Amino acid sequence: MKYLYIICVLLCVYSCREEEPTAKPHTLKAAFANSFIMGVAVNKAQYTSKEIDATNIVLKHFNSITAENSMKWQYISPQQSVFDFADADAFVNFGIENNLKVIGHTLLWHSQLPEWVHAITDSAELRNIMYTHIDSVAGRYKGTIHGWDVVNEAFHNDGSFRDTVFYKYMGQAFIEEAFARAHSVDSSAELYYNDYNMTFEGKRNAVVDMIHNLKNKNIRIDAVGMQGHWNLEHPSLEDIETSIIAYTNAGVDVMITELDISVLPRDENPYEQELPEHIENKLSERYKSLFQLFYKHRNKISRVTVWGVHDGQSWLNNHPTEGRTDYPLLFDRNYEAKNCVYAILNIF
Ligand code: G3I
């Protein structure tokens, strides 16, 4: 009888445990495991484990990586016919070894483009060079890249085409030619268009048209990246939501890429020593409401990537002027999780 009682108690404890709600997640990747990929941009010190505290954050909280700079044309082919894949190889290998989804950033971008490409004025030669670049880079990593940012930032905010060397000499067809070529080189990779200010109506309409154009021509595009270089107030959650829905309605997934929230007024540097508590609270609230929105639209969002591991690394410390002290990311300069991380985890 006594044994029967003990067995009953044990069974009850076991079944009660089974019915308990899932334990609160302790990492970002666990929190959104059933929602979207959680990515982060990394630099060389991080993917070579020289900045080991940052590397450990990557491995603990994220399941995808993007190279902040190492795959850009300027670094991979600084001179014509000269290729340097050392850093990009190390980045990709780090991703493979740690089972992280590797994002290729970026095949075609007007910025960080080597001078020798800017100098080309002949459309056939430019097409040839563009194809060689896509073949060489996407070809080298064929089968290992989860998705490529094929074209980056091709439009102005009003939706007009940016006057890049590609647009100037190849016309707007450079976009479809780039996507088609990337797919022919690595048919297993997802293909993306990635841009900032994707909540602006003019740019949104232009990107939606671009998606329709690609789809009408049966050219693969999987998703658009809405770069999240945002601040405490702008853009509004409503504008972000409107754009998420608009891109999805055009037939692609949405990714929130390059997420960082600047806390600084544009031309000032008021928090050199530390971030005041009330601003830190605002930042946490902002991150929390953004992730609530992303979670609400998790059936439309395939990935969220933050643009850097910790505040000390952020490009925003040097933009728009050098030597600022910004606090836009989820981990602080001492590699500690900021309140925003707990605010995000507390959504669950
Ligand atoms: O490589 C040189 C190095 O040799 C030199 O010692 C050092 C001194 O400043 O500069 C190094 O280059 C810097 C490079 O980052 C690598 O650290 C460049 O000056 C700097 O301008 C460059 O900034 C990058 C920026 O793209 C370039 O436009 C940022 O790290 C990177 O976060 C930023 O990322 C872009 C995305 O790719 C596309 N979307 C916008 C986003 C923010 O601008």
Side-chain angles (χ1 to χ4, degrees):
M1 191 63 190
K2 193 172 127 199
Y3 291 119
L4 192 62
Y5 173 74
I6 291 171
I7 288 168
C8 286
V9 169
L10 284 175
L11 277 174
C12 179
V13 168
Y14 181 72
S15 59
C16 290
R17 267 213 195 126
E18 285 286 281
E19 280 164 20
E20 263 178 26
T22 325
K24 218 175 180 38
H26 294 292
T27 67
L28 294 166
K29 67 181 175 189
F32 298 104
N34 297 321
S35 307
F36 38 73
I37 297 166
M38 260 319 293
V40 63
V42 289
N43 62 31
K44 186 174 177 179
Q46 296 161 351
Y47 61 72
T48 56
S49 301
K50 294 217 164 55
E51 194 186 2
I52 191 67
D53 291 326
T55 309
N56 286 336
I57 293 173
V58 174
L59 298 178
K60 179 174 175 187
H61 282 278
F62 299 94
N63 46 28
S64 167
I65 50 170
T66 304
E68 186 177 6
N69 285 296
S70 305
M71 287 192 133
K72 291 171 179 172
W73 196 326
Q74 175 187 38
Y75 297 110
I76 282 193
S77 183
Q79 275 125 41
Q80 189 157 12
S81 308
V82 173
F83 289 92
D84 180 355
F85 286 108
D87 289 352
D89 283 358
F91 161 74
V92 173
N93 287 337
F94 174 80
I96 295 170
E97 280 159 17
N98 293 291
N99 201 21
L100 304 165
K101 290 198 164 37
V102 180
I103 307 302
H105 175 79
T106 168
L107 290 172
L108 287 196
W109 189 30
H110 63 278
S111 181
Q112 292 180 289
L113 190 64
E115 273 313 308
W116 67 267
V117 180
H118 279 293
I120 292 162
T121 56
D122 177 76
S123 66
E125 190 186 353
L126 190 61
R127 178 174 297 101
N128 208 15
I129 276 160
M130 182 180 96
Y131 283 169
T132 303
H133 183 69
I134 294 174
D135 295 356
S136 309
V137 183
R140 184 175 183 88
Y141 301 114
K142 182 176 170 167
T144 64
I145 300 292
H146 180 72
W148 276 105
D149 287 338
V150 180
V151 176
N152 217 40
E153 303 170 13
F155 298 102
H156 290 298
N157 292 340
D158 65 2
S160 58
F161 276 92
R162 190 187 289 276
D163 195 19
T164 66
V165 65
F166 305 109
Y167 178 66
K168 198 165 172 188
Y169 297 109
M170 294 174 65
Q172 63 187 69
F174 89 86
I175 297 184
E176 58 203 57
E177 291 183 43
F179 273 85
R181 190 72 175 196
H183 182 60
S184 73
V185 175
D186 184 357
S187 61
S188 64
E190 294 187 351
L191 304 182
Y192 316 130
Y193 175 78
N194 184 51
D195 208 335
Y196 59 86
N197 287 344
M198 292 277 275
T199 54
F200 283 41
E201 193 183 355
K203 188 174 285 198
R204 183 170 62 231
N205 292 339
V207 172
V208 164
D209 286 348
M210 179 202 73
I211 297 165
H212 286 146
N213 178 50
L214 290 171
K215 288 192 166 282
N216 288 340
K217 292 180 176 160
N218 278 325
I219 297 172
R220 177 171 183 172
I221 176 170
D222 295 270
V224 293
M226 295 176 63
Q227 295 179 20
H229 298 301
W230 296 329
N231 65 31
L232 292 173
E233 281 89 28
H234 302 286
S236 68
L237 295 177
E238 292 73 25
D239 285 350
I240 296 171
E241 185 166 41
T242 301
S243 289
I244 291 172
I245 292 168
Y247 297 127
T248 310
N249 285 346
V252 294
D253 284 342
V254 168
M255 306 169 306
I256 307 299
T257 60
E258 308 191 18
L259 180 61
D260 47 25
I261 307 295
S262 178
V263 300
L264 300 185
R266 189 168 170 85
D267 297 314
E268 294 169 43
N269 187 29
Y271 315 128
E272 255 177 289
Q273 301 310 320
E274 62 176 359
L275 189 62
E277 200 180 324
H278 71 282
I279 305 289
E280 186 171 359
N281 291 342
K282 270 181 117 176
L283 182 65
S284 295
E285 273 309 304
R286 177 72 161 149
Y287 263 115
K288 183 178 178 181
S289 52
L290 284 169
F291 273 85
Q292 279 171 327
L293 181 69
F294 304 156
Y295 186 68
K296 174 180 169 191
H297 290 291
R298 60 192 181 281
N299 64 337
K300 306 178 185 68
I301 293 178
S302 54
R303 171 167 56 92
V304 176
T305 286
V306 288
W307 202 238
V309 180
H310 61 86
D311 287 341
Q313 159 202 0
S314 173
W315 72 291
L316 289 167
N317 294 313
N318 291 310
H319 179 86
T321 48
E322 285 201 8
R324 288 149 58 94
T325 309
D326 209 339
Y327 301 80
L329 297 170
L330 299 173
F331 294 82
D332 69 18
R333 288 168 167 79
N334 297 316
Y335 308 102
E336 298 291 341
K338 290 161 63 178
N339 289 346
C340 350
V341 172
Y342 300 106
I344 294 168
L345 295 176
N346 274 339
I347 293 173
F348 297 93

